[in-house]
Amino acid sequence: MKAITEELLRYELRNSEPDVYIVPDGAILTPAAKEYLQQKKIRYQMKSNFHDQVHPGQGGQKKTVSTGAPAPQEQRAPAAEKTDTVAVLRPKYTEHETGAFFYEKPEHMTQLYGNELVNKDDPRIVFRGKLDSVQSLIVLAQAVIYENGCQSLVDDLNDILRHLRELMRCDVLGEDVPEMTTIGLTHAELRERSHDPMKFYKIKQMLLPDYSMGINYAYLNRIRTQIRETELSACTAFREGRKYKRGDIIEELNRLSSALHIMMCKYLAGDYTGGGN
């Protein structure tokens, strides 16, 4: 039987203070752990014995625990007397790692999946922030490039934006990333063209960006680097030991950075119409 010590509790609750701490089945709290919870005014219950909490509506009664059985008849007030009406109060959230219950969401926490909370600096939330940030950069670049009269480049960036939004949706909903083409190319075609741009676009591989190449090219390079940063953030967020549980998201981000490299090559080759600087 696993013993939950005070030291373990302090670590689990280092950034949170739930109303109820749920003891996993098959585990026990040490005396020191119980005392720690009492000092923090956190109630504890076994997971298998957790019941709904009942609050009085207006009658000033103390909070009680509902066992699911009907209350004795003599404790029930007539329906017309609203002062004794009770309402069931259910915990709204649970902590993703510990299973602790919350009736209100702490300011330092946010929802990971459904009503499961994690700290806002959790690597998975940081990854989602990176996804959000690179999308905002693309929209900004599109506004500038559109003013420069390069609609075909705006359209390809819109395809990149669509993919990033799909990645966000798949992560939040826990769905697999569907098979998609990017700027009209499959994953294999993206890889091939990115590794040999001279063959396809007569452009040397990864020319160092320079201000003389223009603002449109500079934006493409900035988006490419930020997608790379997002990919690294995904590796951190989804690593479990030596394995990665969302390889589909990581692979898609890798191919998106290849797509940006290809777009940079196409831009220098003059393949985008109206490509003014």
Side-chain angles (χ1 to χ4, degrees):
M1 181 173 288
K2 177 183 177 181
I4 299 179
T5 64
E6 178 186 357
E7 182 180 5
L8 179 60
L9 273 181
R10 288 182 180 275
Y11 177 77
E12 287 185 352
L13 305 179
R14 62 194 182 281
N15 293 319
S16 62
E17 194 166 308
D19 297 300
V20 182
Y21 180 82
I22 303 303
V23 182
D25 293 334
I28 60 171
L29 292 171
T30 64
K34 292 180 180 179
E35 183 178 354
Y36 173 73
L37 289 176
Q38 291 171 355
Q39 291 173 353
K40 302 289 286 185
K41 295 183 180 179
I42 300 174
R43 294 182 294 106
Y44 61 88
Q45 290 181 343
M46 296 301 298
K47 184 176 182 180
S48 57
N49 294 330
F50 180 74
H51 302 299
D52 294 335
Q53 306 301 309
V54 181
H55 276 289
Q58 303 176 31
Q61 300 173 14
K62 292 184 178 179
K63 183 188 300 184
T64 60
V65 178
S66 171
T67 62
Q73 188 66 35
E74 63 272 17
Q75 293 182 7
R76 294 183 177 178
E81 295 183 18
K82 296 184 178 181
T83 55
D84 291 329
T85 300
V86 295
V88 176
L89 179 63
R90 300 177 184 276
K92 296 180 181 178
Y93 308 100
T94 60
E95 188 167 9
H96 180 73
E97 294 184 0
T98 67
F101 285 83
F102 295 87
Y103 293 97
E104 298 294 336
K105 184 171 65 173
E107 289 297 328
H108 68 278
M109 305 187 81
T110 189
Q111 290 165 256
L112 180 63
Y113 305 115
N115 68 338
E116 297 182 27
L117 300 181
V118 292
N119 293 339
K120 289 181 178 178
D121 61 353
D122 184 278
R124 288 157 296 188
I125 302 303
V126 173
F127 162 65
R128 291 178 186 176
K130 290 282 188 179
L131 269 181
D132 190 29
S133 181
V134 71
Q135 289 175 52
S136 71
L137 175 60
I138 290 175
V139 173
L140 174 62
Q142 285 179 301
V144 173
I145 294 170
Y146 177 78
E147 291 296 325
N148 290 338
C150 192
Q151 183 62 48
S152 57
L153 182 53
V154 170
D155 293 340
D156 271 359
L157 283 174
N158 214 45
D159 195 41
I160 302 296
L161 185 61
R162 176 177 63 88
H163 279 65
L164 291 169
R165 288 171 175 170
E166 181 66 12
L167 290 185
M168 180 76 84
R169 189 189 70 82
C170 290
D171 177 36
V172 172
L173 298 180
E175 296 180 1
D176 293 335
V177 177
E179 185 174 339
M180 301 179 286
T181 58
T182 308
I183 59 173
L185 303 172
T186 65
H187 278 198
E189 291 170 336
L190 287 169
R191 184 180 180 86
E192 182 183 20
R193 284 161 173 73
S194 179
H195 285 193
D196 194 359
M198 179 60 72
K199 175 182 176 181
F200 293 94
Y201 309 108
K202 307 304 180 187
I203 298 294
K204 292 182 180 180
Q205 187 174 14
M206 285 305 297
L207 288 171
L208 289 177
D210 185 86
Y211 73 92
S212 62
M213 296 175 178
I215 189 66
N216 292 355
Y217 189 85
Y219 266 117
L220 291 177
N221 185 58
R222 182 70 185 93
I223 294 168
R224 179 191 64 81
T225 60
Q226 193 150 342
I227 288 177
R228 278 294 191 189
E229 291 179 12
T230 306
E231 179 187 354
L232 294 177
S233 179
C235 289
T236 301
F238 299 124
R239 183 174 61 194
E240 292 184 346
R242 300 181 66 179
K243 297 181 179 180
Y244 297 85
K245 63 180 181 179
R246 289 308 304 257
D248 55 339
I249 289 179
I250 296 171
E251 179 182 347
E252 188 67 26
L253 287 167
N254 185 276
R255 295 301 176 269
L256 286 177
S257 67
S258 295
L260 262 297
H261 177 211
I262 290 170
M263 291 168 66
M264 292 166 69
C265 293
K266 288 176 64 178
Y267 185 81
L268 292 179
D271 289 357
Y272 286 111
T273 58
N277 291 339

